[in-house]
Amino acid sequence: MSLRINQREVQPTEEQASKSLLDYLRDELGLTGTKIGCRKGICGSCVVLVDEKAVRACRTPLRKLLDAEGDTQVRTIEALRAPDGALHPIQQAFIDAGAIQCGYCTPGMVMSSVALLHRNPKPTREQIRQGLAGNLCRCTGYQQIIDAVALASERMESADEGE
């Protein structure tokens, strides 16, 4: 069993293994892009990807990931940037569509969007709404966020066709 976070193998101590994934990411690894929100799994600010599925890090015991069969892969918002520093298409679309206000919910929204587009590269606007239903934003009213995910879907499809 192996736990990889942003392509780096980690070996938490027994004491660290008793923490939530959120606290381990922030306190032990310094990955503060994953935000602390409600700590109850409601707001979605702490969403990360575990094996490409959106997971609330505040409600995920690190021990559960360590005890899982096989290799577990965790990706945080910090892992989306390209090696040359370029933003992920979803991050760029959030900027271009004006989907960022205070920015606190943005990492969780982006990671939920990555998971959504991974399993459904061409979602309808209703499917985008459903895919982001577990993420709360107090600033934008969601329209720009839905626009951003739709824009990212179009851009990613165009990029795939160009390869």
Side-chain angles (χ1 to χ4, degrees):
M1 72 189 117
S2 167
L3 179 60
R4 295 184 70 75
I5 297 178
N6 295 344
Q7 299 300 315
R8 187 177 116 211
E9 189 160 349
V10 297
Q11 296 180 334
T13 65
E14 278 303 313
E15 183 180 331
Q16 292 168 337
S18 68
K19 293 183 171 206
S20 69
L21 176 58
L22 173 64
D23 290 333
Y24 182 72
L25 292 171
R26 292 179 60 85
D27 299 345
E28 305 299 332
L29 301 181
L31 298 171
T32 57
T34 304
K35 301 302 179 201
I36 299 170
C38 65
R39 287 197 180 268
K40 295 180 181 171
I42 297 169
C43 72
S45 294
C46 66
V47 170
V48 298
L49 301 182
V50 175
D51 297 330
E52 297 305 312
K53 294 183 177 93
V55 171
R56 283 158 176 59
C58 74
R59 302 292 293 166
T60 303
L62 186 58
R63 168 71 55 211
K64 179 181 175 186
L65 300 180
L66 293 168
D67 291 343
E69 295 287 324
D71 293 339
T72 300
Q73 303 282 333
V74 176
R75 271 202 305 163
T76 69
I77 192 79
E78 289 89 349
L80 291 187
R81 185 179 21 206
D84 67 359
L87 295 176
H88 186 281
I90 295 173
Q91 291 171 305
Q92 189 61 56
F94 266 67
I95 292 168
D96 296 344
I100 300 172
Q101 296 284 317
C102 81
Y104 202 80
C105 71
T106 305
M109 289 279 188
V110 167
M111 297 310 284
S112 291
S113 299
V114 170
L116 170 65
L117 295 181
H118 177 75
R119 66 177 189 275
N120 181 0
K122 294 176 67 172
T124 65
R125 293 181 77 77
E126 182 56 33
Q127 289 169 329
I128 294 169
R129 280 186 200 88
Q130 290 171 2
L132 297 178
N135 294 80
L136 301 177
C137 175
R138 302 178 101 185
C139 300
T140 68
Y142 300 97
Q143 189 59 48
Q144 297 96 322
I145 294 168
I146 294 165
D147 293 345
V149 178
L151 178 60
S153 172
E154 291 170 19
R155 288 177 176 173
M156 291 167 73
E157 181 182 22
S158 295
D160 288 343
E161 290 171 0
E163 290 179 358

